[in-house]
Amino acid sequence: MTTSSRKLLFATNNAHKLSEVQAVLGPGFELTIPRACGITEEIPETCDTLEGNASQKAHYLYDRTGLDCFADDTGLEVAALGGAPGVHSARYATDGHDFIKNNELLLRNLAGVADRRARFRTVVALLLDGKEYRFEGVVEGRIIDHAIGHEGFGYDPLFVPDGSSKTFAEMTADEKNAVSHRGRAIRKLAEFLLAQ
Ligand code: IMP
């Protein structure tokens, strides 16, 4: 019997994200990225919800390639900030994806705030033969008052998931994937694809 991996286009050029997601999906899936399909421009994400952005990115790729594809959008939702930065997590402090400035702004906005509860939420939009399916993953936790750890990316050095004493930035990729928002959403995606 021959086995072949299933090809999927994933809407990211973030190497950290790509390796996290490939690790969760395992060898049964072969991910390709927009650049490898000649899509070098930034994929638009102009909606005001995670659901809208994930869907918009997946459709953008499908319209240009006709390939089965998926996109994710993630937000850090901080209780004491009314759910901010949320859908604006990438551009919280600046126009670019400046992780250090984003983390500094988050700490400033939480200075003196006792309620540190926060959660990461990921929405994945999958387009399979042009039909859309969505999956969600959530991890609850808290924001500490200074950065710890050098792994991962984004808000990882400030986020401690419930049930752990380590920030995401102190965890190995496997430890983070086991509990993370993205890990949970991508496992749902994988279960769905395997059942097709
Ligand atoms: P994206 O939608 O996955 O690009 O995520 C938007 C922003 O949320 C990123 O630029 C990061 O600042 C933050 N973010 C997303 N996923 C993670 C994560 O796993 N750890 C820490 N920050 C993240």
Side-chain angles (χ1 to χ4, degrees), residues 116-118 120 139-146 148 155-171 179:
R116 314 293 292 197
R117 285 172 306 136
F120 277 112
V139 58
E140 304 281 348
R142 67 195 163 87
I143 302 298
I144 55 172
D145 64 8
H146 62 284
I148 306 179
Y155 300 94
D156 280 348
L158 295 179
F159 184 84
V160 176
D162 287 352
S164 174
S165 55
K166 291 198 253 183
T167 67
F168 270 165
E170 293 178 282
M171 296 184 178
V179 296

Coordinates of all heavy atoms in Angstrom, one line a residue, residues 116-118 120 139-146 148 155-171 179:
R116 N -5.4 39.8 35.9 CA -4.5 39.5 34.8 C -5.0 38.5 33.8 O -4.3 38.0 33.0 CB -3.1 39.0 35.3 CG -2.6 39.8 36.5 CD -2.2 41.2 36.1 NE -1.1 41.3 35.2 CZ -0.4 42.4 35.0 NH1 -0.7 43.6 35.6 NH2 0.6 42.5 34.1
R117 N -6.3 38.1 33.9 CA -6.8 37.0 33.1 C -6.8 37.4 31.6 O -7.2 38.5 31.3 CB -8.3 36.7 33.5 CG -8.4 35.9 34.8 CD -9.8 35.7 35.2 NE -10.4 37.1 35.3 CZ -11.7 37.4 34.9 NH1 -12.4 36.5 34.3 NH2 -12.1 38.6 35.0
A118 N -6.4 36.4 30.8 CA -6.4 36.6 29.4 C -6.5 35.3 28.7 O -6.4 34.2 29.3 CB -5.0 37.2 29.0
F120 N -5.9 33.4 24.6 CA -5.6 33.4 23.2 C -6.8 32.7 22.5 O -7.2 31.6 23.0 CB -4.3 32.6 22.8 CG -3.1 33.4 23.0 CD1 -2.2 33.1 24.0 CD2 -2.8 34.5 22.2 CE1 -1.0 33.8 24.2 CE2 -1.6 35.2 22.3 CZ -0.7 34.9 23.3
V139 N -7.1 29.1 24.6 CA -6.4 28.7 25.9 C -6.5 29.9 26.8 O -6.3 31.0 26.5 CB -4.9 28.3 25.6 CG1 -4.1 29.5 24.9 CG2 -4.2 27.9 26.9
E140 N -6.9 29.5 28.0 CA -7.1 30.5 29.1 C -5.8 30.6 29.9 O -5.1 29.6 30.0 CB -8.2 30.1 30.1 CG -9.6 29.8 29.4 CD -10.3 31.1 29.1 OE1 -10.0 32.2 29.6 OE2 -11.3 31.0 28.4
G141 N -5.5 31.8 30.4 CA -4.3 32.0 31.2 C -4.2 33.4 31.8 O -5.3 34.0 32.1
R142 N -3.0 33.9 32.0 CA -2.8 35.2 32.6 C -1.6 35.9 32.1 O -0.7 35.2 31.6 CB -2.8 35.1 34.1 CG -1.6 34.4 34.7 CD -1.8 34.0 36.1 NE -0.8 33.0 36.5 CZ 0.5 33.3 36.9 NH1 0.8 34.5 37.0 NH2 1.3 32.3 37.1
I143 N -1.6 37.2 32.2 CA -0.5 38.0 31.8 C 0.4 38.3 33.0 O -0.1 38.9 34.0 CB -0.9 39.3 31.1 CG1 -1.9 39.0 29.9 CG2 0.3 40.2 30.7 CD1 -1.2 38.3 28.8
I144 N 1.7 38.0 32.9 CA 2.6 38.3 34.1 C 3.1 39.7 33.9 O 2.8 40.4 32.9 CB 3.7 37.2 34.2 CG1 4.5 37.1 32.9 CG2 3.1 35.9 34.6 CD1 5.7 36.2 33.1
D145 N 3.9 40.2 34.9 CA 4.3 41.6 34.8 C 5.7 41.9 34.2 O 6.1 43.0 34.2 CB 4.2 42.2 36.2 CG 5.1 41.6 37.2 OD1 6.0 40.8 36.8 OD2 5.0 42.0 38.4
H146 N 6.3 40.8 33.7 CA 7.6 41.0 33.0 C 7.8 39.8 32.1 O 7.3 38.7 32.4 CB 8.8 41.3 33.9 CG 9.1 40.1 34.8 ND1 8.3 39.8 35.9 CD2 10.0 39.1 34.7 CE1 8.8 38.7 36.5 NE2 9.9 38.3 35.8
I148 N 9.3 36.6 30.3 CA 10.2 35.5 30.7 C 10.2 34.5 29.5 O 9.2 34.1 29.0 CB 9.7 34.8 31.9 CG1 9.5 35.7 33.1 CG2 10.7 33.7 32.3 CD1 9.0 35.0 34.4
Y155 N 3.3 37.5 22.0 CA 3.1 37.7 23.5 C 3.5 36.5 24.3 O 3.2 36.5 25.5 CB 1.6 38.0 23.7 CG 1.1 39.2 23.0 CD1 0.5 39.1 21.7 CD2 1.2 40.5 23.5 CE1 0.0 40.2 21.0 CE2 0.7 41.6 22.8 CZ 0.1 41.5 21.6 OH -0.3 42.6 20.9
D156 N 4.1 35.5 23.7 CA 4.5 34.3 24.5 C 5.3 34.6 25.8 O 5.0 33.9 26.8 CB 5.4 33.4 23.6 CG 4.5 32.5 22.6 OD1 3.3 32.5 22.8 OD2 5.1 31.9 21.7
P157 N 6.2 35.5 25.8 CA 6.9 35.7 27.1 C 6.1 36.3 28.2 O 6.5 36.3 29.4 CB 8.0 36.7 26.7 CG 8.1 36.7 25.2 CD 6.7 36.4 24.7
L158 N 4.9 36.7 27.9 CA 4.0 37.4 29.0 C 2.9 36.5 29.3 O 2.1 36.8 30.3 CB 3.5 38.7 28.5 CG 4.5 39.8 28.2 CD1 3.8 41.1 27.7 CD2 5.3 40.1 29.5
F159 N 2.7 35.4 28.6 CA 1.4 34.6 28.8 C 1.7 33.2 29.5 O 2.5 32.4 29.0 CB 0.8 34.3 27.5 CG -0.5 33.6 27.6 CD1 -1.7 34.3 27.8 CD2 -0.6 32.2 27.4 CE1 -2.9 33.6 27.9 CE2 -1.8 31.5 27.5 CZ -3.0 32.3 27.8
V160 N 1.1 33.0 30.7 CA 1.2 31.7 31.4 C -0.2 31.0 31.3 O -1.2 31.6 31.8 CB 1.5 31.9 32.9 CG1 1.5 30.6 33.6 CG2 2.9 32.6 33.0
P161 N -0.3 29.9 30.6 CA -1.5 29.2 30.5 C -2.0 28.6 31.8 O -1.1 28.2 32.6 CB -1.3 28.1 29.4 CG 0.2 27.9 29.5 CD 0.8 29.2 29.9
D162 N -3.3 28.5 32.1 CA -3.8 27.9 33.3 C -3.2 26.5 33.4 O -3.1 25.8 32.5 CB -5.3 27.8 33.3 CG -5.9 29.2 33.5 OD1 -5.2 30.2 33.8 OD2 -7.2 29.3 33.3
G163 N -2.8 26.2 34.7 CA -2.3 24.8 34.9 C -0.8 24.7 34.7 O -0.2 23.6 34.9
S164 N -0.2 25.8 34.3 CA 1.3 25.8 34.1 C 2.0 26.9 35.0 O 1.3 27.8 35.4 CB 1.6 26.0 32.6 OG 3.0 26.1 32.4
S165 N 3.3 26.7 35.2 CA 4.0 27.7 35.9 C 5.0 28.4 34.9 O 5.7 29.3 35.3 CB 4.8 27.1 37.1 OG 5.6 26.1 36.6
K166 N 4.9 28.0 33.7 CA 5.9 28.5 32.7 C 5.1 29.4 31.7 O 3.9 29.1 31.3 CB 6.5 27.4 31.9 CG 7.5 26.5 32.6 CD 8.3 25.8 31.6 CE 8.0 24.3 31.6 NZ 8.9 23.5 30.7
T167 N 5.8 30.4 31.1 CA 5.2 31.2 30.0 C 5.3 30.3 28.8 O 6.1 29.3 28.7 CB 5.9 32.5 29.7 OG1 7.3 32.2 29.3 CG2 6.0 33.4 31.0
F168 N 4.6 30.6 27.7 CA 4.7 29.9 26.4 C 6.1 30.1 25.9 O 6.6 29.2 25.2 CB 3.7 30.5 25.4 CG 2.4 29.9 25.4 CD1 1.3 30.5 24.7 CD2 2.1 28.7 26.0 CE1 0.1 29.9 24.7 CE2 0.9 28.0 25.9 CZ -0.2 28.7 25.2
A169 N 6.8 31.2 26.2 CA 8.2 31.4 25.7 C 9.2 30.6 26.5 O 10.4 30.5 26.1 CB 8.5 32.9 25.8
E170 N 8.8 29.9 27.5 CA 9.7 29.0 28.2 C 9.5 27.5 27.8 O 10.2 26.6 28.3 CB 9.5 29.1 29.7 CG 9.9 30.4 30.4 CD 9.6 30.4 31.9 OE1 8.4 30.6 32.2 OE2 10.6 30.2 32.6
M171 N 8.5 27.3 27.0 CA 8.1 25.9 26.6 C 8.7 25.5 25.3 O 9.0 26.3 24.5 CB 6.6 25.8 26.5 CG 5.8 26.1 27.7 SD 4.0 25.9 27.4 CE 3.4 26.2 29.1
V179 N -1.2 22.5 24.5 CA -2.2 23.3 25.2 C -2.7 24.6 24.5 O -3.6 25.2 24.9 CB -1.8 23.7 26.7 CG1 -1.6 22.5 27.5 CG2 -0.6 24.6 26.7

